[in-house]
Amino acid sequence: IAVLVGRLRTFAEDADVLFLLQRKEWGRSLTLRGMGYTAVILSILTVLIYAFLLPFLITLHGLTMSSVVSLAVFTLIWSMIGAIWRNLIEGRYRGWRKWLWKLLSTIILGATYVIPVIIFGADWLQLLLPIALGAVFLLALMRL
């Protein structure tokens, strides 16, 4: 849920774009604040989801608290990637191409979120590599 519903809040409306093109530093500042806002909102959503699932994850699946925290961090990184990626698609494509790219990005996000957990497991040490790779990809998307 957190990975697929996140939206990047840029705090810029269509009419603001012409003004912000003249003031590049204001646009960058606004975008960084929007990314911070998005990260806080997605963090709250992720914490709520994992707080709700915590009894099931610990008792039924036998996960440790460190594994649950690493899964939450993994989820937060992927939800930020999804939010930024969807924002880039919304800005670049229109019509059926936009929906096609959104569908493809959703499939790729879902696969890259689920497959590492299946392959590596849910132990926090095993998730360090996917978390690190996701963080690098997230930083690259933030630069875009």
Side-chain angles (χ1 to χ4, degrees), residues 47-119:
V47 166
L48 288 175
I49 289 171
Y50 276 91
F52 176 73
L53 293 175
L54 190 63
F56 302 107
L57 294 173
I58 290 177
T59 56
L60 292 178
H61 295 286
L63 297 178
T64 62
M65 196 59 166
S66 59
S67 295
V68 173
V69 169
S70 67
L71 282 169
V73 169
F74 185 63
T75 302
L76 179 61
I77 289 171
W78 250 252
S79 59
M80 280 296 295
I81 288 171
I84 294 172
W85 204 355
R86 277 187 293 281
N87 184 271
L88 290 172
I89 290 170
E90 295 252 345
R92 291 187 180 161
Y93 299 103
R94 299 284 179 249
W96 65 270
R97 286 185 182 97
K98 178 175 79 171
W99 294 107
L100 178 66
W101 278 107
K102 276 186 163 184
L103 176 65
L104 290 172
S105 70
T106 301
I107 292 169
I108 291 169
L109 274 171
T112 57
Y113 179 74
V114 172
I115 290 173
V117 176
I118 292 171
I119 292 173

Side-chain angles (χ1 to χ4, degrees), residues 35 77 81 84 132-144:
M35 285 184 193
I77 289 171
I81 288 171
I84 294 172
L133 292 174
V136 168
F137 189 69
L138 176 61
L139 290 174
L141 277 177
M142 289 172 71
R143 296 288 301 164
L144 288 175

